[in-house]
Amino acid sequence: MSLVVHRFRQLPSTQDEARRLVEAGEAGAGHVVVADVQTEGRGRFGREWLSPVGGLYATFVVPGHPTIQITVGVAVLRALERFGVKGALKWPNDLVVDGKKLAGILIEIAGELALVGIGVNLEEAPLETATSVRDAGSVARRGELVVALGEEMRSARESEEALPAYRASLSTLGHFVRFALEDGDTIEGKAFDVDEAGRLLVETAEGIRTVSSGECVLLRT
Ligand code: BTN
């Protein structure tokens, strides 16, 4: 099945345009919204996602499914591997190279569908803590990477191998981590595994805790 691409020079956010198109009945599973520049790109926890010219900013419309966090992380990793970028995942699904962030994923729900927003630093790394495909010594044309992402997302969704691949790529496992939860609680301990939905299992002084969302701070290995 080929991808239907909605391409824009500039948008506030590809997430919002994808939602608008879905709600208007003009897009569905298999469509992707791509912009050269975003003026109000956003990341997880409502953070800003800097989106200058030269990056990849895309929202894929896909069927919602319970293991989406896992399959999308694996798909982004594999798509970038096609262009020679060897990365790892920081829980839940930041793509990092040498500990620096190269790509981020934002998953939002739209009824039965999921809006999978992917931002990839292709040329510039807009922050000190970030890196890019170019910094990793590779070249990826944006159009080819969009196609690769679409293909890898579909095959990860249909594969039994996504969970083992996700576990194997998760550099967070084995680290001491800290989470500040929305209710004010803090979880601190050793991340030792993920469950079948991609939730992180953390061994704390009080026992095993399961973390489904939150900002993961790596403390030490
Ligand atoms: C994160 O790491 O916090 C997620 C970043 C997701 C950024 C992408 S860029 C395309 C899509 N549109 C947005 O506004 N955000 C996502």
Side-chain angles (χ1 to χ4, degrees), residues 29-52:
H31 290 228
V32 58
V33 177
V34 183
D36 298 348
V37 173
Q38 295 184 120
T39 52
E40 291 167 37
R42 62 174 181 272
R44 294 171 67 229
F45 310 113
R47 291 202 189 112
E48 181 184 21
W49 183 263
L50 295 170
S51 312

Side-chain angles (χ1 to χ4, degrees), residues 71-172:
T71 56
V72 173
V74 169
V76 173
L77 200 69
R78 288 183 174 160
L80 282 160
E81 268 172 13
R82 292 198 200 179
F83 298 88
V85 178
K86 190 86 191 88
L89 294 171
K90 175 176 176 250
W91 191 87
N93 43 29
D94 283 350
L95 193 133
V96 293
V97 175
D98 295 332
K100 291 187 157 192
K101 184 157 166 170
L102 186 143
I105 298 169
L106 176 67
I107 301 172
E108 296 176 342
I109 301 304
E112 307 269 284
L113 298 169
L115 307 176
V116 178
I118 302 176
V120 183
N121 302 325
L122 291 178
E123 292 164 18
E124 302 299 326
L127 295 169
E128 278 280 296
T129 51
T131 188
S132 68
V133 170
R134 187 172 67 192
D135 291 346
S138 299
V139 177
R141 280 183 204 277
R142 201 176 53 165
E144 290 171 8
L145 184 52
V146 167
V147 171
L149 286 164
E151 289 173 357
E152 293 292 352
M153 262 191 268
R154 195 163 49 247
S155 70
R157 205 164 54 233
E158 288 162 4
S159 158
E160 305 260 301
E161 306 292 309
L163 180 57
Y166 181 69
R167 268 200 186 103
S169 307
L170 209 52
S171 58
T172 312

